[in-house]
Amino acid sequence: MNTTPDPDNFNPRKEGFRCGLEIHQQILTEKKLFCHCPAGIYSEDYDAQVLRHMRPTLSELGEYDGTALMEFKTHKEIIYRINKKLTCTYEMDDNPPFLINQQAVDIAIEIALLLKCSIVGELHVIRKQYLDGSIPAGFQRTAIIGVNGWIPYKDKKISIIQLALEEDACREISDVGHRRIYATDRLAMPLIEVVTGPDMLDPQEAYEVGVQLGRLLRTTGKIRRGIGSVRQDVNVSVNGGTRIEIKGVPQLPLIPDLVFYEAFRQYSLLNLRDKLAERGINKENLQTARFDLSGKLENSALADLPDDENKVSALLIKEMSGLFAHRLGSNRNFADDVRGRIRVIACLEHYPFMLHTDDQSETTISGTDKDILKSVTGMTDNDLVVVVWGPPGDVETALNEVEIRVREAIEIIPNETRQRQPSGETDFERILPGADRMYPDTDSPPLPISRERVDKIRGQMPVLPWVKEAEYKELDLPNHLAWMLAISSRRTIFDRLVSDNKVEPVLAAVVLLEQLKNFSRLGGNLDIISDDCLDELFSAYKKGAFVKEGFRMLIEECALTGNTDWVNLAEKLNIRRVKKEEINKIISESIDTAREELFCKPENLPKVVIGIVMDKLRGSVSGKELIELIQHELNE
Amino acid sequence: MENNDNKGYRGAALSILNKFDVSVWNDVEIETTDGVFSGIVLPRSETADDRHIVLKLITGYNIGIEVDTIQGFTSYGSKEAHYKIPEKEFPYDPIKPNVVLLGTGGTIASRLDYRTGAVIPAFSPGELYGAVPELADVCNLKTIKLYGVFSENITPEHWAGTAKAIKREVENGAQGIVIGHGTDTMHYTAAALSFMIRQTPVPIVMVGSQRSSDRPSSDAALNLINATWTAGYSDIAEVLVCMFGPTSDEYALLHRGTRVRKMHSSYRSTFRTIGDTPVARLANGEIHMIKNDLRKRCPKTPLEIDTVFDDRIAIVYYYPNMKPDIIDSLVDNGYKGIVIAGTGLGHVNKPLYPSLKRAIKEGVHIYMTVETLWGYVQMYVYDTGRDIMELGVVPGANMLPEVAYVKLGWVLGHTHDREKVAEMMLTPYAGEITEREAVDGYLIMQGGLPEMEKFLKEVHV
C-alpha cells in the first residue's frame, strides 16, 4: 500500500523537476502594436461597452481545441469596456490591423540579439487563439523575431527557444457567474515573449534565471516598468508528469514556492493514480450515479441555501472513499483540484457549491444529512458522494466535469494552465491549448527584416549586464554597486566619468546610484539631472570647487532647490577645499571655545569640539579625518 | 531537378529550393549565416517577394528566411497536410421548416486554410453543420453552391441566375431562402433580387459576414442562425438583408433590399437602412417588427421572376470641376443609362450641360440621385436644378444611387421608350422610393453629445 506523499519530504530535483519560463515584458513604445492608440496609459474609466461571445473554431484536423471547448461550455458573456482615448475600433476587432509598429520591431530585434537569437529574415504575423475573451478578436497577433538563443547561468547555458513580439491582452475587471468584464486599456500594447527551454532543474534556478533575464531586459532601457508591465508564465513538470503552465506570475520571488508545490502536486497525482489502480478502479469499471437532492437535506450547510432557482445534485462514485482527501499540497487535496475545475467550467460561484463525504468537518455534510445521503444514494463506506449546488444547467455541467476529472486521475495528469492563489499554491485556470490554435494572419503582409537593419541595431546594443558587472568588479566596485550599475541607465555616464574624467570609480558609483536615489527620495526631479549636468558636477569637483565629502550636501540641496549651478551651490553651502593649516586653526579655536566659553567637562570635550568643527567644515573635510585630527589635537 | 510543386515560389527563392532539391511541405533544417532554423517549408503567397522561404516552426509560428543567407538544407521527409472541414450529416426534423441556403461566395462561405493562410470555400451542409451546429435547431437546411466569387466580381448574370435558382427551390418546396453573399456588393444584389423577383410566397434573406468563421469572434454563426430563422419562421415575403444590428453579439436587423447599404468598410454593424427604419429586429428566435408595410408570407402566391437586364448603364459620382468628357465618353462607348449621384438636392456644374443634352438627344436615359444618400432629389429649389431637368435629366426621388443604377438596368431590359422608362423608374416596385421620410429615417448620431455619451456607456454598441 503506498503512502500519501508529504511536501516536507519532497525533493523536486530527485523527481526530475524541469522548469521553463515565458517572460512577457511590455516594451517602451509610444503607440500600440497594430494601431495608433497610445501605449502605456491605464484607466478604468470607460465610454462604451461591447458584448461578445467567443465560439470555438475547428482546428485544421477538424477537431475543436480542448480550451476552446471548455470556454464554450462556460457560456460566458464577455463585456469590453472601452475608453475612447485608449482604444479604437482595431482593438474591438471592427477594423483590420494597421502595419506593425516599427519601433516595437526594432526593440524586439535588439532584445533578441542580446539573447543571441538568430533573427528571422521575414516577420510573419500569426494569430494565436484565445477563447477566454481576453482579446476581442479571439486571437492574439504575434510574430517570431528570433529563435535559438541562450543566456549563461552559472556554468551552463539556458536555451532561449524563441522571442516573439505580440500584443497584450485585456485586463479582467470581474468574472462573476456567466459574465466576465474586461478593461481594454492594456489591450494591444506591444510586449515581447521570451521562451526558455525547460532547463531549470530546481525551483531556485527558476527564480535566478528569471532575475538574470529581467536584468538583460532592463539593460536596454526600452522596456516598461511598474506593476503589470512584466508577467511570467512558468512551465513545470516532473518525471512521469506533464507540462503544466502557471500563468501570469507577477513577481519573480513568488516562483520558487509556486513551482515547488506544482511539482509536488504532479508527484502526488501520480501517487493517486497508483492508489486508484490498487483499488482496481479503471476507466471501464468506474461506477457513478446521479441523484437529485433538492429539498431533501435538513441540517447541513446546503439545507439553508435558497432553492427556488437552484438545484442540489449528488454524484455517487463507487470505491472512491478517502481519495478526495488525497493531499496535493501544503493545504490542498484532490477535492480542491476538482472544485477549482467546476468553479471555472460550470461557473459556480457561491460557496459552498461543492461538498463531499471525505470532508470530515462538521460545517459540511453533517448529522442526519449523512444518513439522508446514504439512503438516497445507497453509498457504502467504500464510496464517495459529491454534492453540488447551483443553477440546474450549471449543476449538470459541474457533475459532468467532476466525472471527467476523476476519469483523468485514473490515467493522466491533465494538461492545464493554473493560476496562482494567495496561499502560494495554484488552482485550475483552463485546459492547456494546443499548437493547433496558431494560424497565419491574412490581414498582415510579411515584413522583410534586412540584414542592414539588424546590423545597425547590433552596432548600438548595450553590453550584457553580466559582462558589465564583471568589468565593474575589476574596478574594485563593491559587489552590490557592480550589480546595480550593470543595468543602470547611468552606466554610460559612469564609464565616461571614470575613463575620461578620471573620477574614482567607487565615488562615481556611490553618487550615481545611492546619492541620486536619495535625491529622488527627497523629492528632487531626476529630469534635471541630465548627463551634462552630472558632467558639470564632476568637473567642478575635479577642478577643486569642493571635496568629495561635498557631494552629498550638494545633491541634497539641489533636490530641495532645483538649483544645478554646482559651483554656486558649493559657495552657498560654504563647502570648499580647506588647507591643513586652516583646519588645525579651526580645531584649536574650537577647543578653546569649548573649554573657556562653554565650560565643557573634560569627558564631553571631544563630542562638543567635533560638533563645533563640523558646523564650520561640514562637506569640506571628511568626518573621519576631522575626528582623527581633533583627537590628535586634544591628546596634545 | 525542376520541382513544380513549390507553390507560390519564384525567382531566387524557387532557384534555391530547386538547387537543394527541397519542396513545399518538406520538414527541413536550414543552415544560414544567421544560424539554423528548423520547420516545414510552407507554400508562399504568389504576391509576396522572391527573396524568402516560409517555414512553419514546431511551435506553430511561421517565419521567413532570406534566400541570400541560406547555406544549406537538410531534409527530413515531407509532412503535407490537407485541410478538410469535417462533414457531419445535417439532421432532418419533420416539424422544422425547410430552408435552402444558396451560396454565392464571400467571407461567409469561406474558411482559412490553416497551413497556408489561403481562404478556401466551405459550403456543404455538412461543413456548415460542423461549424454552426445550432443551425439544426432552427431548420432543415439544404445548401446549394451557386457561385464562388468575391462580391466585387458579381455581375447581372449572377443576379439573374440567383433569381432563377430561388424560383426553382421555392417551387420545390423551400419554406424560406437564405443567400450567402460577400458583403461588399450585397446591397446591389439585394436591390437586383428585389426587382427581379416580382412576388414571392416566402422570405428571401441575404446574409454575409464581416469576420470569417475561422475567427472565434466571427459574426458568421450568429448571422446564419438569424438569417435561417428569418427564412424559416418570419412572416415577411420580401427580399431582406439580415446582418448585425450593433457590433455587440446582441441582435440582428432586417433591412429592405432596396433601402439598405454597406456603410463601414469593416464594422460588423455595417449594414444600415438609409432614409427609413429597418424592417425588424431579431434575437434568440424572437422577432420585433419595426415596419408593418411588408408583404406577408403566403404559400399560395406563385413566385414570379423577371430577370431581364441591360447592363449598358453607369453611375457617375459628381465632383466639383467634373469635365464633360466623362459624360461624353460614356455616350461614345454606347452606354444607354446613366445614374448621377449629384451634389445636394441633385446638381452638377454648368460645363456638363451640353454633354448631358447631347447624351439625352442620343437616347441615353439619365437619372439624378443624391450623393448625400439621405434625402430626396429636389430640382425645383434652385435654378440649376430646373436647368438640368430642362436638359432631360430625371429626378430619381429618394432612390439610393446604387439602387437606381440596378433599377435602371432592369427597366432598360424592358424598354427604351423614354416615357415608359420614366414611368417605371418613378414607380416604386419594392420600396425603393418612399412617399415620405419619417423623423426617425435620418439618424446619424454624433459622438461627444451628452445623450450619445450616455447611450454609448449604457447600451452595448
Side-chain angles (χ1 to χ4, degrees):
Chain A
M1 177 75 199
N2 72 62
T3 51
T4 302
D6 178 350
D8 292 341
N9 302 323
F10 178 63
N11 179 349
R13 207 174 247 276
K14 218 178 103 201
E15 302 307 331
F17 175 93
R18 309 266 285 180
C19 176
L21 296 173
E22 291 175 23
I23 301 208
H24 300 93
Q25 169 69 61
Q26 289 177 352
I27 54 178
L28 202 53
T29 57
E30 194 190 332
K31 292 176 179 170
K32 290 184 176 180
L33 191 54
F34 288 103
C35 66
H36 306 122
C37 289
I41 304 173
Y42 288 93
S43 170
E44 284 184 20
D45 289 344
Y46 63 95
D47 303 297
Q49 302 191 76
V50 169
L51 180 152
R52 297 263 162 82
H53 302 102
M54 292 293 150
R55 286 183 68 87
T57 60
L58 294 163
S59 79
E60 57 193 310
L61 299 172
E63 282 164 2
Y64 287 107
D65 185 272
T67 331
L69 266 191
M70 181 202 101
E71 298 288 354
F72 198 53
K73 275 191 219 169
T74 64
H75 294 293
K76 284 274 183 193
E77 203 165 68
I78 315 281
I79 305 284
Y80 298 103
R81 290 189 172 163
I82 301 156
N83 180 312
K84 65 183 178 186
K85 294 193 186 73
L86 308 180
T87 306
C88 69
T89 51
Y90 163 69
E91 290 97 313
M92 295 326 302
D93 191 37
D94 266 322
N95 218 41
F98 299 87
L99 293 179
I100 194 166
N101 182 331
Q102 297 298 321
Q103 188 190 12
V105 173
D106 281 345
I107 296 172
I109 292 173
E110 176 176 335
I111 296 171
L113 287 172
L114 285 171
L115 292 167
K116 303 204 181 331
C117 286
S118 305
I119 307 299
V120 302
E122 193 178 54
L123 179 153
H124 284 247
V125 180
I126 291 286
R127 300 174 182 172
K128 192 195 275 184
Q129 282 200 359
Y130 283 92
L131 271 288
D132 60 356
S134 60
I135 301 183
F139 56 78
Q140 176 188 43
R141 289 193 164 89
T142 168
I144 292 287
I145 299 290
V147 299
N148 301 336
W150 59 273
I151 58 163
Y153 169 70
K154 291 186 178 161
D155 52 356
K156 62 181 176 182
K157 282 181 178 179
I158 301 292
S159 60
I160 303 295
I161 294 175
Q162 64 188 34
L163 181 140
L165 174 61
E166 53 193 39
E167 35 184 17
D168 210 339
C170 291
R171 287 192 298 137
E172 189 179 299
I173 299 288
S174 65
D175 184 6
V176 180
H178 291 272
R179 173 169 282 215
R180 192 179 289 150
I181 300 178
Y182 285 111
T184 54
D185 47 6
R186 193 180 72 187
L187 179 62
M189 277 171 51
L191 60 82
I192 50 153
E193 183 202 55
V194 178
V195 183
T196 77
D199 302 341
M200 283 72 92
L201 303 179
D202 68 40
Q204 187 61 20
E205 284 193 6
Y207 165 71
E208 286 171 7
V209 169
V211 170
Q212 187 93 319
L213 276 169
R215 285 171 58 75
L216 177 139
L217 297 176
R218 273 190 60 182
T219 311
T220 63
K222 292 171 187 160
I223 57 164
R224 283 196 189 279
R225 307 287 308 281
I227 295 167
S229 60
V230 61
R231 302 185 298 282
Q232 280 81 211
D233 293 350
V234 192
N235 296 311
V236 184
S237 66
V238 297
N239 286 339
T242 190
R243 185 176 82 96
I244 294 291
E245 190 172 321
I246 304 169
K247 295 291 262 187
V249 181
Q251 287 135 21
L252 294 170
L254 300 168
I255 288 179
D257 270 5
L258 286 172
V259 299
F260 174 88
Y261 281 114
E262 175 49 33
F264 176 75
R265 192 184 69 94
Q266 292 188 29
Y267 176 69
S268 192
L269 279 171
L270 294 172
N271 178 273
L272 174 65
R273 183 184 67 182
D274 296 344
K275 279 186 174 166
L276 286 159
E278 275 170 19
R279 291 192 187 186
I281 301 177
N282 59 45
K283 276 184 117 167
E284 285 68 44
N285 67 9
L286 180 75
Q287 285 182 51
T288 62
R290 297 180 186 200
F291 303 91
D292 185 6
L293 289 178
S294 304
K296 290 184 180 149
L297 299 178
E298 285 168 359
N299 62 352
S300 70
L302 289 172
D304 301 329
L305 294 170
D307 59 2
D308 41 345
E309 284 174 14
N310 293 307
K311 182 178 173 185
V312 183
S313 287
L315 180 73
L316 169 73
I317 312 175
K318 297 294 283 178
E319 303 299 324
M320 189 74 186
S321 169
L323 296 185
F324 264 47
H326 182 84
R327 188 173 184 188
L328 294 184
S330 76
N331 201 17
R332 286 180 66 86
N333 54 31
F334 184 59
D336 294 314
D337 255 29
V338 176
R339 187 179 288 112
R341 176 106 151 221
I342 67 175
R343 182 180 54 79
V344 174
I345 294 182
C347 295
L348 292 175
E349 289 283 329
H350 302 288
Y351 284 92
F353 57 78
M354 185 192 105
L355 304 177
H356 59 94
T357 50
D358 275 351
D359 191 341
Q360 301 302 325
S361 66
E362 281 302 305
T363 52
T364 58
I365 302 169
S366 55
T368 52
D369 280 353
K370 270 190 185 145
D371 302 330
I372 293 169
L373 269 188
K374 274 186 187 162
S375 75
V376 172
T377 67
M379 74 176 280
T380 70
D381 288 348
N382 293 335
D383 304 336
L384 174 93
V385 171
V386 182
V387 179
V388 174
W389 169 83
D394 296 344
V395 162
E396 196 61 29
T397 312
L399 291 186
N400 291 340
E401 219 48 48
V402 173
E403 207 169 323
I404 291 170
R405 184 66 190 86
V406 168
R407 285 180 183 279
E408 283 170 348
I410 294 170
E411 278 193 327
I412 48 158
I413 297 172
N415 272 312
E416 60 195 38
T417 66
R418 298 184 64 83
Q419 54 188 339
R420 183 178 66 92
Q421 298 299 299
S423 64
E425 296 182 72
T426 61
D427 201 355
F428 176 81
E429 184 185 60
R430 64 177 72 107
I431 310 281
L432 192 71
D436 283 348
R437 63 182 179 141
M438 312 279 291
Y439 55 103
D441 181 28
T442 43
D443 300 333
S444 299
L447 173 75
I449 308 280
S450 74
R451 295 304 99 177
E452 294 73 40
R453 181 175 185 173
V454 175
D455 289 341
K456 188 174 165 217
I457 294 170
R458 201 192 308 270
Q460 295 164 356
M461 268 184 343
V463 180
L464 287 162
W466 35 92
V467 175
K468 212 65 196 163
E469 190 185 344
E471 267 176 34
Y472 291 146
K473 284 183 179 165
E474 291 281 300
L475 294 175
D476 284 335
L477 285 192
N479 285 350
H480 77 283
L481 289 181
W483 168 262
M484 282 199 290
L485 193 61
I487 57 163
S488 164
S489 57
R490 302 286 186 191
R491 239 175 358 180
T492 322
I493 178 92
F494 173 88
D495 292 349
R496 198 167 67 223
L497 289 171
V498 170
S499 67
D500 300 357
N501 303 24
K502 310 290 175 220
V503 177
E504 305 91 300
V506 177
L507 173 68
V510 166
V511 171
L512 293 176
L513 296 173
E514 296 181 344
Q515 297 194 355
L516 284 183
K517 198 183 255 177
N518 189 37
F519 173 91
S520 182
R521 196 162 39 228
L522 290 169
N525 173 11
L526 276 175
D527 291 347
I528 64 173
I529 310 292
S530 62
D531 284 359
D532 285 348
C533 175
L534 288 166
D535 266 339
E536 285 162 19
L537 174 66
F538 280 95
S539 59
Y541 162 69
K542 284 307 252 188
K543 283 180 191 149
F546 56 92
V547 291
K548 71 180 180 194
E549 286 69 24
F551 277 100
R552 187 191 168 90
M553 285 174 73
L554 282 170
I555 285 169
E556 285 180 1
E557 187 64 16
C558 174
L560 300 173
T561 62
N563 184 355
T564 55
D565 183 343
W566 304 111
V567 176
N568 171 288
L569 270 183
E571 278 169 16
K572 199 175 125 197
L573 292 169
N574 196 24
I575 50 178
R576 62 215 150 85
R577 197 167 286 270
V578 193
K579 287 193 175 130
K580 193 85 180 253
E581 299 80 51
E582 192 184 341
I583 299 172
N584 284 332
K585 189 164 164 252
I586 291 172
I587 290 174
S588 58
E589 280 170 11
S590 304
I591 293 172
D592 292 347
T593 311
R595 278 186 180 137
E596 289 156 23
E597 291 173 30
L598 303 173
F599 309 107
C600 211
K601 287 182 187 163
E603 63 267 33
N604 290 339
L605 198 59
K607 221 166 73 187
V608 174
V609 173
I610 289 169
I612 299 169
V613 176
M614 282 304 276
D615 276 350
K616 291 179 177 161
L617 291 173
R618 178 170 286 121
S620 306
V621 187
S622 95
K624 196 174 155 217
E625 193 186 340
L626 273 184
I627 291 166
E628 276 169 13
L629 288 170
I630 291 166
Q631 285 296 354
H632 182 75
E633 191 71 22
L634 285 173
N635 290 344
E636 285 199 346
Chain B
M1 185 187 90
E2 188 64 32
N3 194 321
N4 296 320
D5 290 341
N6 290 326
K7 293 172 200 158
Y9 287 102
R10 57 197 163 84
L14 182 62
S15 308
I16 201 155
L17 288 177
N18 288 336
K19 180 178 157 196
F20 288 99
D21 196 13
V22 168
S23 54
V24 162
W25 305 121
N26 277 181
D27 186 358
V28 297
E29 207 172 83
I30 307 183
E31 211 171 297
T32 76
T33 50
D34 296 304
V36 175
F37 298 88
S38 318
I40 292 165
V41 179
L42 289 186
R44 187 159 172 85
S45 159
E46 275 157 21
T47 55
D49 69 29
D50 69 345
R51 310 293 319 158
H52 298 87
I53 307 288
V54 189
L55 272 195
K56 178 171 275 297
L57 307 181
I58 192 158
T59 50
Y61 281 92
N62 295 359
I63 60 169
I65 311 284
E66 204 197 324
V67 169
D68 289 347
T69 65
I70 295 177
Q71 293 168 323
F73 284 84
T74 315
S75 188
Y76 299 97
S78 191
K79 285 191 179 168
E80 177 160 7
H82 285 289
Y83 175 63
K84 191 166 177 355
I85 297 167
E87 299 249 1
K88 287 184 188 158
E89 202 182 330
F90 203 97
Y92 179 79
D93 179 348
I95 64 163
K96 292 204 166 75
N98 298 322
V99 172
V100 175
L101 173 53
L102 301 172
T104 65
T107 306
I108 192 141
S110 63
R111 288 182 55 87
L112 200 71
D113 181 328
Y114 285 95
R115 292 264 161 183
T116 61
V119 174
I120 54 171
F123 218 83
S124 76
E127 286 169 354
L128 267 182
Y129 178 53
V132 192
E134 298 99 313
L135 290 175
D137 300 333
V138 177
C139 60
N140 299 310
L141 193 67
K142 171 181 164 190
T143 70
I144 297 167
K145 186 180 163 191
L146 287 183
Y147 314 110
V149 293
F150 287 124
S151 76
E152 61 271 24
N153 296 324
I154 289 274
T155 63
E157 283 72 43
H158 294 117
W159 296 336
T162 306
K164 287 170 188 159
I166 292 169
K167 181 173 164 69
R168 189 182 63 231
E169 292 308 316
V170 170
E171 286 171 352
N172 286 338
Q175 289 159 286
I177 300 285
V178 174
I179 300 149
H181 198 284
T183 55
D184 286 3
T185 65
M186 194 195 287
H187 50 298
Y188 287 86
T189 302
L193 294 178
S194 300
F195 297 120
M196 290 179 172
I197 298 172
R198 294 310 324 125
Q199 61 177 23
T200 168
V202 300
I204 296 167
V205 189
M206 298 201 67
V207 70
S209 86
Q210 288 286 83
R211 295 291 170 284
S212 55
S213 61
D214 50 80
R215 301 162 75 128
S217 64
S218 170
D219 53 343
L222 206 50
N223 279 336
L224 273 173
I225 292 166
N226 285 326
T228 48
W229 192 94
T230 305
Y233 298 95
S234 83
D235 202 23
I236 310 164
E238 290 202 14
V239 176
L240 302 167
V241 165
C242 172
M243 291 287 287
F244 263 42
T247 180
S248 286
D249 292 352
E250 293 220 300
Y251 57 88
L253 288 176
L254 300 181
H255 307 272
R256 204 162 218 164
T258 54
R259 291 237 61 89
V260 65
R261 200 170 187 281
K262 186 176 186 181
M263 296 303 287
H264 194 281
S265 60
S266 55
Y267 252 68
R268 288 163 173 74
S269 51
T270 179
F271 282 90
R272 305 278 102 181
T273 290
I274 307 291
D276 203 343
T277 59
V279 167
R281 153 191 174 132
L282 174 73
N284 305 319
E286 269 184 52
I287 191 165
H288 298 276
M289 294 303 294
I290 300 171
K291 289 183 71 68
N292 292 306
D293 59 345
L294 289 109
R295 277 179 265 184
K296 294 247 190 303
R297 183 192 283 269
C298 174
K300 286 181 192 147
T301 308
L303 191 133
E304 284 176 13
I305 59 171
D306 179 1
T307 60
V308 292
F309 201 87
D310 186 336
D311 73 351
R312 293 172 294 174
I313 47 167
I315 300 182
V316 171
Y317 192 101
Y318 176 76
Y319 45 86
N321 200 34
M322 182 179 272
K323 301 285 191 324
D325 54 1
I326 296 283
I327 304 294
D328 293 339
S329 68
L330 288 172
V331 178
D332 294 344
N333 283 296
Y335 279 77
K336 295 297 174 201
I338 299 172
V339 170
I340 300 175
T343 61
L345 292 162
H347 303 140
V348 293
N349 64 10
K350 264 212 165 79
L352 251 51
Y353 291 5
S355 292
L356 293 172
K357 190 169 181 181
R358 174 212 163 197
I360 288 159
K361 195 175 158 210
E362 295 196 15
V364 178
H365 304 266
I366 306 183
Y367 284 79
M368 183 64 76
T369 59
V370 290
E371 58 192 34
T372 59
L373 303 180
W374 273 268
Y376 289 81
V377 179
Q378 223 297 9
M379 300 176 74
Y380 292 100
V381 178
Y382 297 99
D383 283 346
T384 318
R386 293 162 192 257
D387 294 344
I388 296 169
M389 283 198 294
E390 194 73 12
L391 301 169
V393 174
V394 183
N398 68 341
M399 272 188 286
L400 293 168
E402 298 87 347
V403 174
Y405 162 83
V406 171
K407 187 175 182 185
L408 187 53
W410 180 70
V411 169
L412 293 180
H414 292 86
T415 176
H416 280 243
D417 176 83
R418 187 158 294 277
E419 276 179 30
K420 263 273 192 238
V421 170
E423 188 198 317
M424 286 181 80
M425 278 302 285
L426 299 179
T427 303
Y429 285 82
E432 73 275 19
I433 295 173
T434 62
E435 281 190 314
R436 54 193 294 273
E437 183 182 50
V439 69
D440 56 359
Y442 174 61
L443 275 181
I444 307 181
M445 304 311 292
Q446 297 274 280
L449 304 174
E451 60 273 27
M452 279 315 293
E453 301 280 288
K454 189 165 181 285
F455 171 83
L456 282 173
K457 195 159 180 170
E458 290 172 7
V459 181
H460 299 143
V461 291

